[in-house]
Each structure stands twice: as structure tokens, then as C-alpha cells.
Amino acid sequence: MNQHNFSIEFFPPKTAEGVEKLRVTRNKLAELQPKYFSVTFGAGGTTQQGTLDTVVDIRREGFEAAPHLSCVGGTRDSIRQILQQYQAHDIRRLVALRGDLPSGYGMGGEFRYANELVEFIRAETGDWFHIEVAAYPEMHPQARSPQDDLQNFVRKVKAGANSAITQYFYNADAYFRFVEEAHKQGVDVPVLAGIMPITNSSQLQRFSEMCGAEIPRWIRLKLNSYGDDSASIKAFGLDVVSSMCERLLAGGAPGLHFYSLNQAAPTTAIWKNLI
Ligand SMILES: Cc1cc2nc3c(=O)[nH]c(=O)nc-3n(C[C@H](O)[C@H](O)[C@H](O)COP(=O)(O)OP(=O)(O)OC[C@H]3O[C@@H](n4cnc5c(N)ncnc54)[C@H](O)[C@@H]3O)c2cc1C
């Protein structure tokens, strides 16, 4: 299992209670020995301090941690300051993103796309950071076409990314095809599959609409048929996602990145099915 590359994502808690809860979650997930934990960055930098505090907390407990950094709405100066802060904490790994501003904010800032952020990080800090970028096997919702999105992904990798993590998906074929096409375009960095456990039907459908991840019809129908029978949703979700992970690893995926939503149980259950 651990010859693969496994990582687990959190979001920064907003309350003292949330911080404490995340500590408990993290200690449970640490038993699975992921390579690192990553911590998201709020749109337009709204959780910047929370991201750093959470990463520092994780590292203090002896685990590897990577902050996400999104550039939308930022300036060269503001991003430079964040990078310097991360360097001062000896943080060596980053997930570099464009991010999304809340609607009504426009795009603003001095960076338009993630490839510009990656270039900037390399220009400012050389090889200090291991940089991960995002990939979209089912196309980013704002892209003009899958081909265009692939080219934009390739541009981001060529700007200096060391590896990539995909948006979550429930179509393994979309992942395999994306990786194959990226390889043909000269991408040779690992593309880790982003995995979203299924535990809550309405929340998943809402997220998926926003981020452009498709829930296959048969999965959606099954989930809907369980109504508010949470135990059946969880059991079905565990089965579907574990089988997909097995298929991804058997088909050559270099690793998995779990969107934990700060919960230990769903990721742990999938993981145990894979051992
Ligand atoms: C693993 C992962 C982690 C994430 N973590 C966070 C987080 O912590 N915080 C957060 O706010 N969001 C996060 N997101 C969401 C992400 O910020 C959004 O999906 C955002 O809309 C795009 O970010 P990106 O870095 O992929 O953008 P980009 O790679 O810049 O792509 C954005 C869009 O622009 C197009 N594009 C890219 N480059 C160019 C170019 N040079 N010219 C023209 N068009 C271009 C692309 O095709 C795409 O449609 C995460 C997503 C993933 C997959």
C-alpha cells in the first residue's frame, strides 16, 4: 500500500473547537501513514492564517504538511510574502492553484492562471518547493474544451510543477484517458487521483455541480433511492469508491489524494479496503 503515494486533504477549521476536532481526526488518519497532509486555502486568501496555522500544527506533531496557495485576487507582493513565510517555517511542499473568488468579485489581482503562479514561485524561490498543481480529467468547468484544458494543464506542468492532483471523479476511464493524453503531450510528472468519499448524497451533488465532477447516472439514481438512509448511502459509497480506487491503482495510478472534509472514518474505511 505505502509504495504508492497517499495524501490527505483538510480545510482549516474556523473555531477553536474545530481545531481540536481536526487534531483528533488527524491523529486517527496519521495511523494510515500518508505521505503528507495538505491544507486548503480559502478563495482570495480568506483563510490564509488558518492554512498556515494548521500546517504548522501538523508539522509540530511530526507529520509532513503542504499548504495550498491560490493566487486569484493576490499581488506579486502578497504572494511573495506568503512564500517567504512558508520558507521561514521550512515548508517544502505546496499545492499551487488559481483559486476562485466568490461570485461578484471578478478576477482582479496580478495573476490570471495557475501557470503564472507556478512560474512566479520558481522565479522567486528556485527549487525550494515541491509544487503540486490541479488537473481535471472531466475538464475544468470554465475551460473552452477538453483539448484546451489539457494544453493549459501541460503549460502549468512545464512552468515547473513536480506533480499533479486531480479533481475528484467517479469515472476511472476519464482519469486514464487524461493521463495518457497528458503523457503524449510530454507530461512525465505523477498525476495523483483525487478521491472524494461518498457519505452524503445532497452535499455531494451540490459540490459536484460547482466543480464540474460528474456523478454517473447509475450512482446518482442509487443515492437518490436511499433517501435519507445515511447508513445505506455510506455503505454503497464505500463500495463504489473502494472499487474505483482498486481499479485506479491496478491501472497504474501513482497514488491517491483523499478529500477528507476533515472526517477520519470515510477515508480510513476506503483505505482498509485497499490493503
Ligand atoms: C487538488 C485540488 C486542490 C484545490 N485546492 C483549492 C484550495 O485550496 N483553494 C481554492 O480556492 N480552490 C482549490 N481548488 C479549486 C481550484 O482553485 C479551482 O478549480 C479553480 O477554478 C481553478 O484552479 P486551477 O489552479 O486549476 O486553475 P488554472 O490551472 O489556472 O485553470 C483555470 C481555468 O483557466 C484555464 N486556463 C488555465 N491556464 C490558462 C491560460 N494560460 N490561458 C487561458 N486559459 C487558461 C483552464 O483551462 C481552466 O479552465 C482545488 C482544486 C483541486 C483539483
Side-chain angles (χ1 to χ4, degrees), residues 45-169:
T46 46
T47 64
Q48 187 182 321
Q49 191 59 43
T51 303
L52 178 64
D53 290 348
T54 310
V55 164
V56 168
D57 228 18
I58 297 173
R59 287 169 51 85
R60 200 181 295 125
E61 288 171 355
F63 309 119
E64 199 46 64
H68 294 206
L69 171 59
S70 72
C71 60
V72 67
T75 62
R76 284 180 169 66
D77 270 352
S78 67
I79 300 289
R80 184 178 294 118
Q81 275 178 26
I82 296 173
L83 292 172
Q84 287 170 351
Q85 213 175 19
Y86 289 168
Q87 284 186 298
H89 283 280
D90 202 28
I91 291 163
R92 290 279 182 165
R93 185 184 275 272
L94 276 182
V95 184
L97 305 141
R98 183 197 71 179
D100 294 303
L101 282 181
S103 58
Y105 278 69
M107 291 305 282
E110 293 178 9
F111 297 90
R112 284 171 312 161
Y113 299 109
N115 66 294
E116 296 169 11
L117 175 63
V118 175
E119 264 167 38
F120 183 75
I121 297 172
R122 286 290 175 234
E124 290 284 316
T125 62
D127 287 335
W128 179 275
F129 293 106
H130 177 108
I131 303 178
E132 310 262 1
V133 289
Y136 301 86
E138 297 180 322
M139 197 182 93
H140 183 268
Q142 291 158 2
R144 279 189 302 192
S145 67
Q147 292 84 335
D148 224 51
D149 205 29
L150 178 68
Q151 290 313 322
N152 291 330
F153 172 67
V154 171
R155 185 179 291 125
K156 203 158 50 170
V157 172
K158 293 200 169 150
N162 301 97
S163 48
I165 302 169
T166 73
Q167 183 56 278
Y168 70 86
F169 54 85

